[in-house]
Amino acid sequence: MPPPCPLCASEVLPIVWQNRMCRVVWVQDPEYPGYLRVIWQRHVEEMTDLSWAEANHLWRILWGVERALRAVAQPDKVNLAAFGNVVPHLHWHVIPRYRDDPHFPEPYWGRRVRNRPSVRAVATCETMRAALTAELGRGEDVALV
């Protein structure tokens, strides 16, 4: 029997925004403040497991999350990534990147090029929650389109 899916189990990361289809959590990484993860609520492994309507809904949420993150954190770049190699549950990483972060210009998981976190002040979880609510609505109101 496979181990339980950690993204289906209760999440320990703070939920910043959610609706019935997905949730956005605050990844508490001190080297990457403002790092968010968008998790599909239902357990599926790949984007192609979604219907077209669900995939469009997810893209709308990802677009809104990136837009809110850019407005609040003002990163030099935003990385969007979906891996699922270790946790086979559909989720996207939304990572604000700065020219002085530990890996820039390498990928987040790549070779470290400096041994210090970015010195940029980034929004709090509450500030991001307000920005996401402004961008995406209260969650319950967001219908599958």
PDB file of all heavy atoms in Angstrom, residues 34-67:
ATOM      1  N   GLY A  34       7.846  34.792   0.297  1.00  0.00           N
ATOM      2  CA  GLY A  34       6.804  35.031  -0.695  1.00  0.00           C
ATOM      3  C   GLY A  34       6.550  33.831  -1.589  1.00  0.00           C
ATOM      4  O   GLY A  34       5.664  33.849  -2.435  1.00  0.00           O
ATOM      5  N   TYR A  35       7.291  32.759  -1.385  1.00  0.00           N
ATOM      6  CA  TYR A  35       7.149  31.533  -2.167  1.00  0.00           C
ATOM      7  C   TYR A  35       5.770  30.934  -1.863  1.00  0.00           C
ATOM      8  O   TYR A  35       5.405  30.714  -0.721  1.00  0.00           O
ATOM      9  CB  TYR A  35       8.272  30.595  -1.752  1.00  0.00           C
ATOM     10  CG  TYR A  35       8.376  29.241  -2.387  1.00  0.00           C
ATOM     11  CD1 TYR A  35       9.561  28.527  -2.221  1.00  0.00           C
ATOM     12  CD2 TYR A  35       7.370  28.640  -3.112  1.00  0.00           C
ATOM     13  CE1 TYR A  35       9.736  27.275  -2.762  1.00  0.00           C
ATOM     14  CE2 TYR A  35       7.534  27.391  -3.661  1.00  0.00           C
ATOM     15  CZ  TYR A  35       8.716  26.702  -3.479  1.00  0.00           C
ATOM     16  OH  TYR A  35       8.875  25.455  -4.014  1.00  0.00           O
ATOM     17  N   LEU A  36       4.997  30.680  -2.922  1.00  0.00           N
ATOM     18  CA  LEU A  36       3.651  30.135  -2.797  1.00  0.00           C
ATOM     19  C   LEU A  36       3.552  28.810  -3.535  1.00  0.00           C
ATOM     20  O   LEU A  36       4.319  28.540  -4.459  1.00  0.00           O
ATOM     21  CB  LEU A  36       2.621  31.111  -3.377  1.00  0.00           C
ATOM     22  CG  LEU A  36       2.595  32.501  -2.746  1.00  0.00           C
ATOM     23  CD1 LEU A  36       1.737  33.445  -3.586  1.00  0.00           C
ATOM     24  CD2 LEU A  36       2.090  32.430  -1.316  1.00  0.00           C
ATOM     25  N   ARG A  37       2.597  27.990  -3.135  1.00  0.00           N
ATOM     26  CA  ARG A  37       2.326  26.740  -3.837  1.00  0.00           C
ATOM     27  C   ARG A  37       0.824  26.675  -4.101  1.00  0.00           C
ATOM     28  O   ARG A  37       0.024  26.912  -3.194  1.00  0.00           O
ATOM     29  CB  ARG A  37       2.768  25.552  -2.995  1.00  0.00           C
ATOM     30  CG  ARG A  37       2.747  24.236  -3.744  1.00  0.00           C
ATOM     31  CD  ARG A  37       3.285  23.072  -2.908  1.00  0.00           C
ATOM     32  NE  ARG A  37       4.669  23.282  -2.561  1.00  0.00           N
ATOM     33  CZ  ARG A  37       5.172  23.029  -1.343  1.00  0.00           C
ATOM     34  NH1 ARG A  37       4.409  22.581  -0.376  1.00  0.00           N
ATOM     35  NH2 ARG A  37       6.448  23.230  -1.109  1.00  0.00           N
ATOM     36  N   VAL A  38       0.445  26.392  -5.325  1.00  0.00           N
ATOM     37  CA  VAL A  38      -0.955  26.224  -5.708  1.00  0.00           C
ATOM     38  C   VAL A  38      -1.203  24.724  -5.812  1.00  0.00           C
ATOM     39  O   VAL A  38      -0.553  24.037  -6.608  1.00  0.00           O
ATOM     40  CB  VAL A  38      -1.272  26.919  -7.047  1.00  0.00           C
ATOM     41  CG1 VAL A  38      -2.724  26.682  -7.449  1.00  0.00           C
ATOM     42  CG2 VAL A  38      -0.962  28.414  -6.961  1.00  0.00           C
ATOM     43  N   ILE A  39      -2.127  24.216  -4.996  1.00  0.00           N
ATOM     44  CA  ILE A  39      -2.378  22.776  -4.908  1.00  0.00           C
ATOM     45  C   ILE A  39      -3.803  22.476  -5.356  1.00  0.00           C
ATOM     46  O   ILE A  39      -4.758  23.081  -4.846  1.00  0.00           O
ATOM     47  CB  ILE A  39      -2.180  22.282  -3.459  1.00  0.00           C
ATOM     48  CG1 ILE A  39      -0.768  22.627  -2.972  1.00  0.00           C
ATOM     49  CG2 ILE A  39      -2.461  20.785  -3.343  1.00  0.00           C
ATOM     50  CD1 ILE A  39      -0.562  22.465  -1.484  1.00  0.00           C
ATOM     51  N   TRP A  40      -3.936  21.557  -6.296  1.00  0.00           N
ATOM     52  CA  TRP A  40      -5.257  21.109  -6.722  1.00  0.00           C
ATOM     53  C   TRP A  40      -5.848  20.299  -5.575  1.00  0.00           C
ATOM     54  O   TRP A  40      -5.175  19.429  -5.015  1.00  0.00           O
ATOM     55  CB  TRP A  40      -5.138  20.267  -8.004  1.00  0.00           C
ATOM     56  CG  TRP A  40      -6.445  20.064  -8.677  1.00  0.00           C
ATOM     57  CD1 TRP A  40      -7.163  18.908  -8.735  1.00  0.00           C
ATOM     58  CD2 TRP A  40      -7.216  21.048  -9.366  1.00  0.00           C
ATOM     59  NE1 TRP A  40      -8.328  19.114  -9.434  1.00  0.00           N
ATOM     60  CE2 TRP A  40      -8.381  20.423  -9.824  1.00  0.00           C
ATOM     61  CE3 TRP A  40      -7.031  22.408  -9.641  1.00  0.00           C
ATOM     62  CZ2 TRP A  40      -9.364  21.096 -10.538  1.00  0.00           C
ATOM     63  CZ3 TRP A  40      -8.005  23.078 -10.350  1.00  0.00           C
ATOM     64  CH2 TRP A  40      -9.153  22.422 -10.795  1.00  0.00           C
ATOM     65  N   GLN A  41      -7.098  20.581  -5.181  1.00  0.00           N
ATOM     66  CA  GLN A  41      -7.694  19.932  -4.006  1.00  0.00           C
ATOM     67  C   GLN A  41      -7.845  18.420  -4.199  1.00  0.00           C
ATOM     68  O   GLN A  41      -7.476  17.648  -3.328  1.00  0.00           O
ATOM     69  CB  GLN A  41      -9.063  20.543  -3.679  1.00  0.00           C
ATOM     70  CG  GLN A  41      -9.035  22.022  -3.361  1.00  0.00           C
ATOM     71  CD  GLN A  41      -8.564  22.372  -1.967  1.00  0.00           C
ATOM     72  OE1 GLN A  41      -7.722  21.719  -1.375  1.00  0.00           O
ATOM     73  NE2 GLN A  41      -9.102  23.457  -1.435  1.00  0.00           N
ATOM     74  N   ARG A  42      -8.399  18.032  -5.334  1.00  0.00           N
ATOM     75  CA  ARG A  42      -8.627  16.598  -5.603  1.00  0.00           C
ATOM     76  C   ARG A  42      -7.299  15.958  -5.997  1.00  0.00           C
ATOM     77  O   ARG A  42      -6.494  16.557  -6.688  1.00  0.00           O
ATOM     78  CB  ARG A  42      -9.659  16.469  -6.730  1.00  0.00           C
ATOM     79  CG  ARG A  42      -9.999  15.060  -7.144  1.00  0.00           C
ATOM     80  CD  ARG A  42     -11.192  15.044  -8.115  1.00  0.00           C
ATOM     81  NE  ARG A  42     -11.091  15.993  -9.207  1.00  0.00           N
ATOM     82  CZ  ARG A  42     -10.549  15.729 -10.400  1.00  0.00           C
ATOM     83  NH1 ARG A  42     -10.019  14.559 -10.660  1.00  0.00           N
ATOM     84  NH2 ARG A  42     -10.529  16.660 -11.340  1.00  0.00           N
ATOM     85  N   HIS A  43      -7.082  14.733  -5.559  1.00  0.00           N
ATOM     86  CA  HIS A  43      -5.826  14.056  -5.886  1.00  0.00           C
ATOM     87  C   HIS A  43      -5.816  13.625  -7.351  1.00  0.00           C
ATOM     88  O   HIS A  43      -6.551  12.738  -7.756  1.00  0.00           O
ATOM     89  CB  HIS A  43      -5.602  12.828  -4.999  1.00  0.00           C
ATOM     90  CG  HIS A  43      -4.264  12.199  -5.243  1.00  0.00           C
ATOM     91  ND1 HIS A  43      -3.144  12.584  -4.566  1.00  0.00           N
ATOM     92  CD2 HIS A  43      -3.869  11.264  -6.132  1.00  0.00           C
ATOM     93  CE1 HIS A  43      -2.106  11.893  -5.012  1.00  0.00           C
ATOM     94  NE2 HIS A  43      -2.521  11.086  -5.961  1.00  0.00           N
ATOM     95  N   VAL A  44      -4.998  14.318  -8.126  1.00  0.00           N
ATOM     96  CA  VAL A  44      -4.661  13.925  -9.492  1.00  0.00           C
ATOM     97  C   VAL A  44      -3.165  14.119  -9.632  1.00  0.00           C
ATOM     98  O   VAL A  44      -2.561  14.910  -8.900  1.00  0.00           O
ATOM     99  CB  VAL A  44      -5.424  14.749 -10.572  1.00  0.00           C
ATOM    100  CG1 VAL A  44      -6.927  14.540 -10.467  1.00  0.00           C
ATOM    101  CG2 VAL A  44      -5.094  16.220 -10.489  1.00  0.00           C
ATOM    102  N   GLU A  45      -2.562  13.394 -10.571  1.00  0.00           N
ATOM    103  CA  GLU A  45      -1.113  13.469 -10.701  1.00  0.00           C
ATOM    104  C   GLU A  45      -0.646  14.443 -11.769  1.00  0.00           C
ATOM    105  O   GLU A  45       0.403  15.059 -11.627  1.00  0.00           O
ATOM    106  CB  GLU A  45      -0.544  12.080 -10.963  1.00  0.00           C
ATOM    107  CG  GLU A  45      -0.705  11.159  -9.762  1.00  0.00           C
ATOM    108  CD  GLU A  45      -0.030   9.811  -9.948  1.00  0.00           C
ATOM    109  OE1 GLU A  45       0.831   9.675 -10.860  1.00  0.00           O
ATOM    110  OE2 GLU A  45      -0.343   8.895  -9.178  1.00  0.00           O
ATOM    111  N   GLU A  46      -1.392  14.581 -12.852  1.00  0.00           N
ATOM    112  CA  GLU A  46      -0.927  15.371 -13.985  1.00  0.00           C
ATOM    113  C   GLU A  46      -2.000  16.346 -14.449  1.00  0.00           C
ATOM    114  O   GLU A  46      -3.197  16.134 -14.217  1.00  0.00           O
ATOM    115  CB  GLU A  46      -0.546  14.449 -15.157  1.00  0.00           C
ATOM    116  CG  GLU A  46       0.450  13.353 -14.816  1.00  0.00           C
ATOM    117  CD  GLU A  46       1.829  13.851 -14.443  1.00  0.00           C
ATOM    118  OE1 GLU A  46       2.153  15.037 -14.699  1.00  0.00           O
ATOM    119  OE2 GLU A  46       2.614  13.054 -13.886  1.00  0.00           O
ATOM    120  N   MET A  47      -1.566  17.394 -15.158  1.00  0.00           N
ATOM    121  CA  MET A  47      -2.499  18.379 -15.721  1.00  0.00           C
ATOM    122  C   MET A  47      -3.526  17.706 -16.623  1.00  0.00           C
ATOM    123  O   MET A  47      -4.688  18.084 -16.650  1.00  0.00           O
ATOM    124  CB  MET A  47      -1.746  19.437 -16.530  1.00  0.00           C
ATOM    125  CG  MET A  47      -0.985  20.441 -15.718  1.00  0.00           C
ATOM    126  SD  MET A  47      -2.045  21.631 -14.889  1.00  0.00           S
ATOM    127  CE  MET A  47      -2.705  22.550 -16.262  1.00  0.00           C
ATOM    128  N   THR A  48      -3.094  16.700 -17.375  1.00  0.00           N
ATOM    129  CA  THR A  48      -4.004  16.047 -18.310  1.00  0.00           C
ATOM    130  C   THR A  48      -5.025  15.150 -17.619  1.00  0.00           C
ATOM    131  O   THR A  48      -5.904  14.599 -18.278  1.00  0.00           O
ATOM    132  CB  THR A  48      -3.218  15.247 -19.375  1.00  0.00           C
ATOM    133  OG1 THR A  48      -2.307  14.378 -18.715  1.00  0.00           O
ATOM    134  CG2 THR A  48      -2.461  16.193 -20.305  1.00  0.00           C
ATOM    135  N   ASP A  49      -4.945  15.032 -16.298  1.00  0.00           N
ATOM    136  CA  ASP A  49      -5.996  14.352 -15.534  1.00  0.00           C
ATOM    137  C   ASP A  49      -7.194  15.273 -15.310  1.00  0.00           C
ATOM    138  O   ASP A  49      -8.254  14.820 -14.870  1.00  0.00           O
ATOM    139  CB  ASP A  49      -5.474  13.869 -14.176  1.00  0.00           C
ATOM    140  CG  ASP A  49      -4.442  12.759 -14.313  1.00  0.00           C
ATOM    141  OD1 ASP A  49      -4.484  12.019 -15.327  1.00  0.00           O
ATOM    142  OD2 ASP A  49      -3.596  12.634 -13.413  1.00  0.00           O
ATOM    143  N   LEU A  50      -7.021  16.558 -15.587  1.00  0.00           N
ATOM    144  CA  LEU A  50      -8.096  17.535 -15.411  1.00  0.00           C
ATOM    145  C   LEU A  50      -8.930  17.631 -16.683  1.00  0.00           C
ATOM    146  O   LEU A  50      -8.426  17.408 -17.784  1.00  0.00           O
ATOM    147  CB  LEU A  50      -7.508  18.922 -15.104  1.00  0.00           C
ATOM    148  CG  LEU A  50      -6.600  19.048 -13.881  1.00  0.00           C
ATOM    149  CD1 LEU A  50      -6.079  20.481 -13.780  1.00  0.00           C
ATOM    150  CD2 LEU A  50      -7.314  18.622 -12.620  1.00  0.00           C
ATOM    151  N   SER A  51     -10.179  18.026 -16.511  1.00  0.00           N
ATOM    152  CA  SER A  51     -10.997  18.361 -17.674  1.00  0.00           C
ATOM    153  C   SER A  51     -10.502  19.695 -18.223  1.00  0.00           C
ATOM    154  O   SER A  51      -9.754  20.419 -17.554  1.00  0.00           O
ATOM    155  CB  SER A  51     -12.467  18.477 -17.265  1.00  0.00           C
ATOM    156  OG  SER A  51     -12.652  19.637 -16.454  1.00  0.00           O
ATOM    157  N   TRP A  52     -10.940  20.051 -19.433  1.00  0.00           N
ATOM    158  CA  TRP A  52     -10.565  21.351 -19.995  1.00  0.00           C
ATOM    159  C   TRP A  52     -11.030  22.482 -19.093  1.00  0.00           C
ATOM    160  O   TRP A  52     -10.298  23.451 -18.874  1.00  0.00           O
ATOM    161  CB  TRP A  52     -11.156  21.537 -21.399  1.00  0.00           C
ATOM    162  CG  TRP A  52     -10.334  20.903 -22.468  1.00  0.00           C
ATOM    163  CD1 TRP A  52     -10.685  19.820 -23.216  1.00  0.00           C
ATOM    164  CD2 TRP A  52      -9.028  21.286 -22.909  1.00  0.00           C
ATOM    165  NE1 TRP A  52      -9.673  19.510 -24.098  1.00  0.00           N
ATOM    166  CE2 TRP A  52      -8.642  20.398 -23.935  1.00  0.00           C
ATOM    167  CE3 TRP A  52      -8.140  22.288 -22.546  1.00  0.00           C
ATOM    168  CZ2 TRP A  52      -7.422  20.490 -24.595  1.00  0.00           C
ATOM    169  CZ3 TRP A  52      -6.922  22.382 -23.200  1.00  0.00           C
ATOM    170  CH2 TRP A  52      -6.577  21.494 -24.200  1.00  0.00           C
ATOM    171  N   ALA A  53     -12.235  22.372 -18.569  1.00  0.00           N
ATOM    172  CA  ALA A  53     -12.761  23.429 -17.694  1.00  0.00           C
ATOM    173  C   ALA A  53     -11.919  23.544 -16.430  1.00  0.00           C
ATOM    174  O   ALA A  53     -11.605  24.655 -15.980  1.00  0.00           O
ATOM    175  CB  ALA A  53     -14.218  23.157 -17.348  1.00  0.00           C
ATOM    176  N   GLU A  54     -11.525  22.418 -15.850  1.00  0.00           N
ATOM    177  CA  GLU A  54     -10.684  22.448 -14.652  1.00  0.00           C
ATOM    178  C   GLU A  54      -9.303  23.030 -14.962  1.00  0.00           C
ATOM    179  O   GLU A  54      -8.775  23.831 -14.186  1.00  0.00           O
ATOM    180  CB  GLU A  54     -10.532  21.035 -14.073  1.00  0.00           C
ATOM    181  CG  GLU A  54     -11.798  20.487 -13.468  1.00  0.00           C
ATOM    182  CD  GLU A  54     -11.678  19.013 -13.106  1.00  0.00           C
ATOM    183  OE1 GLU A  54     -10.950  18.260 -13.796  1.00  0.00           O
ATOM    184  OE2 GLU A  54     -12.338  18.606 -12.130  1.00  0.00           O
ATOM    185  N   ALA A  55      -8.731  22.634 -16.087  1.00  0.00           N
ATOM    186  CA  ALA A  55      -7.409  23.156 -16.472  1.00  0.00           C
ATOM    187  C   ALA A  55      -7.469  24.669 -16.691  1.00  0.00           C
ATOM    188  O   ALA A  55      -6.574  25.399 -16.248  1.00  0.00           O
ATOM    189  CB  ALA A  55      -6.903  22.445 -17.724  1.00  0.00           C
ATOM    190  N   ASN A  56      -8.515  25.142 -17.330  1.00  0.00           N
ATOM    191  CA  ASN A  56      -8.679  26.589 -17.521  1.00  0.00           C
ATOM    192  C   ASN A  56      -8.833  27.301 -16.189  1.00  0.00           C
ATOM    193  O   ASN A  56      -8.288  28.398 -15.990  1.00  0.00           O
ATOM    194  CB  ASN A  56      -9.876  26.881 -18.429  1.00  0.00           C
ATOM    195  CG  ASN A  56      -9.582  26.568 -19.872  1.00  0.00           C
ATOM    196  OD1 ASN A  56      -8.446  26.657 -20.315  1.00  0.00           O
ATOM    197  ND2 ASN A  56     -10.604  26.177 -20.610  1.00  0.00           N
ATOM    198  N   HIS A  57      -9.558  26.693 -15.285  1.00  0.00           N
ATOM    199  CA  HIS A  57      -9.722  27.270 -13.948  1.00  0.00           C
ATOM    200  C   HIS A  57      -8.363  27.361 -13.239  1.00  0.00           C
ATOM    201  O   HIS A  57      -8.015  28.396 -12.669  1.00  0.00           O
ATOM    202  CB  HIS A  57     -10.695  26.416 -13.139  1.00  0.00           C
ATOM    203  CG  HIS A  57     -10.935  26.905 -11.763  1.00  0.00           C
ATOM    204  ND1 HIS A  57     -11.734  27.985 -11.481  1.00  0.00           N
ATOM    205  CD2 HIS A  57     -10.457  26.471 -10.565  1.00  0.00           C
ATOM    206  CE1 HIS A  57     -11.755  28.185 -10.166  1.00  0.00           C
ATOM    207  NE2 HIS A  57     -10.984  27.293  -9.606  1.00  0.00           N
ATOM    208  N   LEU A  58      -7.587  26.286 -13.307  1.00  0.00           N
ATOM    209  CA  LEU A  58      -6.270  26.279 -12.674  1.00  0.00           C
ATOM    210  C   LEU A  58      -5.363  27.341 -13.275  1.00  0.00           C
ATOM    211  O   LEU A  58      -4.681  28.062 -12.556  1.00  0.00           O
ATOM    212  CB  LEU A  58      -5.623  24.898 -12.788  1.00  0.00           C
ATOM    213  CG  LEU A  58      -4.213  24.773 -12.205  1.00  0.00           C
ATOM    214  CD1 LEU A  58      -4.164  25.171 -10.736  1.00  0.00           C
ATOM    215  CD2 LEU A  58      -3.697  23.345 -12.401  1.00  0.00           C
ATOM    216  N   TRP A  59      -5.370  27.496 -14.595  1.00  0.00           N
ATOM    217  CA  TRP A  59      -4.547  28.524 -15.227  1.00  0.00           C
ATOM    218  C   TRP A  59      -4.977  29.920 -14.786  1.00  0.00           C
ATOM    219  O   TRP A  59      -4.145  30.793 -14.574  1.00  0.00           O
ATOM    220  CB  TRP A  59      -4.587  28.418 -16.754  1.00  0.00           C
ATOM    221  CG  TRP A  59      -3.676  27.342 -17.249  1.00  0.00           C
ATOM    222  CD1 TRP A  59      -4.053  26.205 -17.888  1.00  0.00           C
ATOM    223  CD2 TRP A  59      -2.248  27.270 -17.108  1.00  0.00           C
ATOM    224  NE1 TRP A  59      -2.941  25.438 -18.155  1.00  0.00           N
ATOM    225  CE2 TRP A  59      -1.823  26.075 -17.697  1.00  0.00           C
ATOM    226  CE3 TRP A  59      -1.295  28.112 -16.548  1.00  0.00           C
ATOM    227  CZ2 TRP A  59      -0.481  25.692 -17.744  1.00  0.00           C
ATOM    228  CZ3 TRP A  59       0.038  27.729 -16.584  1.00  0.00           C
ATOM    229  CH2 TRP A  59       0.431  26.539 -17.175  1.00  0.00           C
ATOM    230  N   ARG A  60      -6.283  30.122 -14.629  1.00  0.00           N
ATOM    231  CA  ARG A  60      -6.773  31.419 -14.154  1.00  0.00           C
ATOM    232  C   ARG A  60      -6.258  31.703 -12.741  1.00  0.00           C
ATOM    233  O   ARG A  60      -5.837  32.818 -12.433  1.00  0.00           O
ATOM    234  CB  ARG A  60      -8.297  31.445 -14.175  1.00  0.00           C
ATOM    235  CG  ARG A  60      -8.872  32.747 -13.694  1.00  0.00           C
ATOM    236  CD  ARG A  60     -10.415  32.736 -13.820  1.00  0.00           C
ATOM    237  NE  ARG A  60     -10.938  33.948 -13.247  1.00  0.00           N
ATOM    238  CZ  ARG A  60     -11.281  34.076 -11.967  1.00  0.00           C
ATOM    239  NH1 ARG A  60     -11.156  33.077 -11.132  1.00  0.00           N
ATOM    240  NH2 ARG A  60     -11.753  35.209 -11.501  1.00  0.00           N
ATOM    241  N   ILE A  61      -6.259  30.687 -11.898  1.00  0.00           N
ATOM    242  CA  ILE A  61      -5.762  30.845 -10.528  1.00  0.00           C
ATOM    243  C   ILE A  61      -4.256  31.122 -10.560  1.00  0.00           C
ATOM    244  O   ILE A  61      -3.769  32.035  -9.881  1.00  0.00           O
ATOM    245  CB  ILE A  61      -6.079  29.599  -9.672  1.00  0.00           C
ATOM    246  CG1 ILE A  61      -7.589  29.380  -9.573  1.00  0.00           C
ATOM    247  CG2 ILE A  61      -5.428  29.703  -8.293  1.00  0.00           C
ATOM    248  CD1 ILE A  61      -8.390  30.540  -9.040  1.00  0.00           C
ATOM    249  N   LEU A  62      -3.501  30.349 -11.329  1.00  0.00           N
ATOM    250  CA  LEU A  62      -2.051  30.573 -11.428  1.00  0.00           C
ATOM    251  C   LEU A  62      -1.741  31.976 -11.932  1.00  0.00           C
ATOM    252  O   LEU A  62      -0.846  32.648 -11.412  1.00  0.00           O
ATOM    253  CB  LEU A  62      -1.405  29.532 -12.355  1.00  0.00           C
ATOM    254  CG  LEU A  62      -1.247  28.141 -11.768  1.00  0.00           C
ATOM    255  CD1 LEU A  62      -0.926  27.137 -12.865  1.00  0.00           C
ATOM    256  CD2 LEU A  62      -0.180  28.135 -10.690  1.00  0.00           C
ATOM    257  N   TRP A  63      -2.476  32.434 -12.933  1.00  0.00           N
ATOM    258  CA  TRP A  63      -2.293  33.776 -13.470  1.00  0.00           C
ATOM    259  C   TRP A  63      -2.538  34.810 -12.372  1.00  0.00           C
ATOM    260  O   TRP A  63      -1.760  35.748 -12.199  1.00  0.00           O
ATOM    261  CB  TRP A  63      -3.242  33.967 -14.659  1.00  0.00           C
ATOM    262  CG  TRP A  63      -3.061  35.239 -15.400  1.00  0.00           C
ATOM    263  CD1 TRP A  63      -2.202  35.476 -16.428  1.00  0.00           C
ATOM    264  CD2 TRP A  63      -3.762  36.470 -15.175  1.00  0.00           C
ATOM    265  NE1 TRP A  63      -2.338  36.775 -16.866  1.00  0.00           N
ATOM    266  CE2 TRP A  63      -3.281  37.402 -16.109  1.00  0.00           C
ATOM    267  CE3 TRP A  63      -4.751  36.858 -14.280  1.00  0.00           C
ATOM    268  CZ2 TRP A  63      -3.758  38.709 -16.162  1.00  0.00           C
ATOM    269  CZ3 TRP A  63      -5.220  38.156 -14.334  1.00  0.00           C
ATOM    270  CH2 TRP A  63      -4.722  39.066 -15.273  1.00  0.00           C
ATOM    271  N   GLY A  64      -3.631  34.631 -11.612  1.00  0.00           N
ATOM    272  CA  GLY A  64      -3.953  35.565 -10.536  1.00  0.00           C
ATOM    273  C   GLY A  64      -2.933  35.546  -9.416  1.00  0.00           C
ATOM    274  O   GLY A  64      -2.586  36.593  -8.852  1.00  0.00           O
ATOM    275  N   VAL A  65      -2.424  34.357  -9.078  1.00  0.00           N
ATOM    276  CA  VAL A  65      -1.400  34.247  -8.034  1.00  0.00           C
ATOM    277  C   VAL A  65      -0.129  34.961  -8.476  1.00  0.00           C
ATOM    278  O   VAL A  65       0.455  35.736  -7.709  1.00  0.00           O
ATOM    279  CB  VAL A  65      -1.127  32.769  -7.680  1.00  0.00           C
ATOM    280  CG1 VAL A  65       0.103  32.622  -6.789  1.00  0.00           C
ATOM    281  CG2 VAL A  65      -2.351  32.152  -6.996  1.00  0.00           C
ATOM    282  N   GLU A  66       0.288  34.728  -9.708  1.00  0.00           N
ATOM    283  CA  GLU A  66       1.494  35.416 -10.190  1.00  0.00           C
ATOM    284  C   GLU A  66       1.287  36.927 -10.203  1.00  0.00           C
ATOM    285  O   GLU A  66       2.167  37.690  -9.790  1.00  0.00           O
ATOM    286  CB  GLU A  66       1.892  34.937 -11.582  1.00  0.00           C
ATOM    287  CG  GLU A  66       3.125  35.665 -12.090  1.00  0.00           C
ATOM    288  CD  GLU A  66       3.533  35.272 -13.485  1.00  0.00           C
ATOM    289  OE1 GLU A  66       3.635  34.065 -13.769  1.00  0.00           O
ATOM    290  OE2 GLU A  66       3.781  36.197 -14.290  1.00  0.00           O
ATOM    291  N   ARG A  67       0.145  37.362 -10.662  1.00  0.00           N
ATOM    292  CA  ARG A  67      -0.142  38.792 -10.736  1.00  0.00           C
ATOM    293  C   ARG A  67      -0.114  39.434  -9.338  1.00  0.00           C
ATOM    294  O   ARG A  67       0.487  40.496  -9.145  1.00  0.00           O
ATOM    295  CB  ARG A  67      -1.495  38.985 -11.405  1.00  0.00           C
ATOM    296  CG  ARG A  67      -1.834  40.384 -11.746  1.00  0.00           C
ATOM    297  CD  ARG A  67      -3.101  40.351 -12.598  1.00  0.00           C
ATOM    298  NE  ARG A  67      -3.787  41.599 -12.518  1.00  0.00           N
ATOM    299  CZ  ARG A  67      -3.701  42.544 -13.448  1.00  0.00           C
ATOM    300  NH1 ARG A  67      -2.970  42.341 -14.518  1.00  0.00           N
ATOM    301  NH2 ARG A  67      -4.358  43.671 -13.306  1.00  0.00           N
TER     302      ARG A  67
END
